[in-house]
Structure formats: C-alpha cells, structure tokens
Amino acid sequence: MLINVPETVVADALRGMAAAHPELTVDVERRVVVRGDAPVAGKVALVSGGGSGHEPLHCGFVGPGMLDAACPGEVFTSPVPDQMVRAAAAVDSGEGVLFVVKNYTGDVLNFRMAQELAEDEGVRLATVLVDDDVAVSDSLHTAGRRGTGATLFVEKIAGAAAEEGAPLERVESLARQVVGSCRSFGVALGACSTPAKGGPTFDLPPGELELGIGIHGEPGRERRPMMTSGEIADFAVGAVLEDLRPSGPVIALVNGMGGTPLLELYGFGAEVHRVLSERGVPVVRTLVGNYVTSLDMAGCSVTLCRADEELLRLWDAPVRTPGLRWGR
C-alpha cells in the first residue's frame, strides 16, 4: 500500500487534501473539512461524514453546491460527535444545519448525539437518514437498509437548493424526497484491503463474485460464479427497478468501488442503459466513475433516482468540489 504507517493514513490524506485544495479549510488534528468561505450568510449549511475509505465521499464533496463541511472518521469507522459539533458550529450562518447521515449504526448514533449537543449550543438542526440499498434489509452494520450511492444524490440536490437560499425546512424536505426516490445495488468482484489489516477483509475465491455487498465489504444476497458485465447489469438493475418502480425518467449513477478501471465502468454503464431501455425506463442523466468507494475493492454499484423537473434542475445546478464539478 502507498502509505507510511496504518495509524497515520487519514491524517496523511487530510494533509494532502489541504495541499491540493487551498479553497478548503482542512483541520487535520480535529478531523473536519470545511468550505473556505463558510459560514455563508443567509445559507442553510449541509454537514455529512463517515468512515474514511469511501473517497471522494464525503470530504471530496465539500464546496459550493454540495456540502459545507465533512467529518472523516478512521477507515470504515464513524467520526465522533465532537467532530460533527465542531463542523456544525463552523458552518452555521444562523439559517440552520442539515446533517446527512448514511444508515450505519455508528454514524446514526454519533450524529444523533452530535445533534443534541449542537442544539444545546443554539444551532438549529435537522437530520436526513440515507437508506437506499435494496440488497438486504439488515446487515452487520445496520438496522434497516444501508446508505450507499444515494448519499451523493442527497448531497448534490439538497446542496444545490441550499446554495439557492432555500430555507432549512425546504432543504430537508428535498433531501427526504431524494432518499425516497433513490435505490442502489452493489457487486464485489474482489475484496478490499484495509491499511490496518494489510490484506483482504473477506474471502472471495477467484472466479466468484458477491451480489449485494455494502461499502464496507459486508456480505450480500448471494455468491455466484463470475458473470459477464451484461449479466451483472441484468441482475443489479432488475433488483433496483423491482423496488423503485419508476414511472418516468431516472438519473443513473454507475459507481466504481475503487478498484475497477473506468474502461470497465463505462462498459458496464452501457449495459445498464441497455437494461433500462429494454424495461422502458428513460435515462436523463448518467454519472460514471468512482464516487462512493470501498478502498481498493473491485466491483461496482448502480443507483437510480426518479427525476422530476425540480430534482433534475437541482442536479444540473453548478457544483465546485474536489470530487464533483460542473457548471459555472
């Protein structure tokens, strides 16, 4: 691994982020990343966070049009409440703060505690829980569905609304609408390796794949012999559509888990479009790349978001972050 020692991986990455992105304020010691112009007067602030190892989620999505701050935990470990309270205080302009929380037990508990502490300090807060993964109803790390690719959609669309000056109640409502409009399914072709362990986190024999994994390598629905890209798309998109049941157009995220090259992801994206076309589902936007990753895991996930006119407009709104950038 391209590291010094496992104990400093997150701190080293934050130091590198600070050097590469001077438009951000990166507190390496306290583990908080904040947009450089925060707090923005008259603007609702968005704060998210989670374990490191999923980059560019979440720190890579800090900036105009998305998050105001992010709290990185240790690898695959929730950040602590003090980080979240510190982030909320740094970005609160008086218009309120929205916590975006993936449905993993540690994240849920720590963000809940942070909300109580921040509210005691006078910050007006709302929380939205992301639980879009259709693969399993409960997992090793959650009660209920896991939060995965829909997190990007929530942060982008709610972030755009906040950038336009929408009040906290509206930003929260849009975020909840996005969660209800998104479903995801992930596939592992190979296990990821954590810096602490230095090797695979689970056993996946050569020639097999795991259908329905989470972003920490949690087991999925079933293990099968290796399938073609088209067969995986048939299975994954079918599972998403069975739950989502869109009656109109969708935005598609074809997401790499960290160890699959873009050449393969674009090919898989073509198969995703084929399946959606065969099912009569129009695709109005497609994003392909590594956005919600699991270290060096080989594999991919598909997220579909039902796109009404307002959600599509906010999706297209300008964004300027290290991990996502378009418009102005």
Side-chain angles (χ1 to χ4, degrees):
M1 291 183 178
L2 190 63
I3 65 174
N4 291 315
V5 293
E7 293 76 16
T8 67
V9 165
V10 176
D12 291 345
L14 290 174
R15 289 191 297 107
M17 174 170 261
H21 298 284
E23 72 277 12
L24 302 177
T25 300
V26 181
D27 188 330
V28 176
E29 182 179 352
R30 296 182 175 183
R31 305 289 173 91
V32 176
V33 177
V34 179
R35 58 185 282 181
D37 57 351
V40 180
K43 179 187 176 300
V44 169
L46 270 69
V47 174
S48 193
S52 297
H54 306 304
E55 290 74 21
L57 188 81
H58 293 275
C59 293
F61 296 148
V62 174
M66 287 191 81
L67 296 175
D68 293 83
C71 309
E74 293 298 324
V75 173
F76 291 177
T77 302
S78 172
V80 298
D82 283 353
Q83 291 172 261
M84 303 156 191
V85 173
R86 208 172 287 124
V91 299
D92 180 30
S93 69
E95 298 300 320
V97 175
L98 179 70
F99 280 165
V100 179
V101 185
K102 301 189 305 302
N103 189 31
Y104 289 92
T105 301
D107 290 1
V108 172
L109 293 176
N110 286 346
F111 268 101
R112 184 180 300 155
M113 186 180 302
Q115 179 167 354
E116 294 173 0
L117 293 170
E119 287 176 339
D120 287 344
E121 296 180 5
V123 178
R124 188 160 60 98
L125 264 158
T127 296
V128 170
L129 188 68
V130 183
D131 57 353
D132 55 304
D133 181 18
V134 303
V136 293
S137 57
D138 293 290
S139 76
L140 297 177
H141 298 274
T142 63
R145 290 178 167 177
R146 302 174 290 211
T148 57
T151 314
L152 181 151
F153 285 85
V154 173
E155 293 175 358
K156 173 64 188 75
I157 291 170
E163 204 71 40
E164 292 178 351
L168 180 59
E169 294 76 15
R170 176 59 178 158
V171 176
E172 178 189 5
S173 174
L174 276 167
R176 293 187 187 281
Q177 180 185 347
V178 173
V179 173
S181 299
C182 287
R183 299 291 185 273
S184 300
F185 191 93
V187 179
L189 310 179
C192 63
S193 299
T194 63
K197 186 172 183 180
T201 55
F202 62 95
D203 177 37
L204 186 58
E208 294 188 5
L209 53 76
E210 184 90 21
L211 294 167
I213 49 87
I215 56 175
H216 307 96
E218 310 97 308
R221 286 187 178 182
E222 59 181 293
R223 188 166 291 185
R224 288 190 180 185
M226 189 60 67
M227 301 157 65
T228 66
S229 177
E231 291 168 340
I232 294 171
D234 286 329
F235 192 100
V237 176
V240 170
L241 292 178
E242 182 180 348
D243 195 286
L244 186 62
R245 301 187 181 278
S247 57
V250 299
I251 302 170
L253 169 63
V254 177
N255 175 66
M257 303 304 290
T260 297
L262 274 172
L263 179 70
E264 297 175 29
L265 290 177
Y266 276 116
F268 181 64
E271 296 297 339
V272 168
H273 271 251
R274 171 189 59 79
V275 177
L276 291 169
S277 177
E278 290 173 355
R279 301 288 188 96
V281 179
V283 183
V284 289
R285 300 288 186 276
T286 305
L287 184 62
V288 179
N290 291 290
Y291 294 101
V292 183
T293 63
S294 185
L295 293 170
D296 60 345
M297 181 186 288
C300 57
S301 64
V302 177
T303 303
L304 300 179
C305 179
R306 293 192 298 261
D308 64 19
E309 186 175 321
E310 177 72 353
L311 294 193
L312 184 59
R313 183 186 70 79
L314 292 168
W315 176 262
D316 286 340
V319 59
R320 194 165 72 252
T321 72
L324 202 66
R325 185 178 296 250
W326 58 65
R328 63 166 185 252

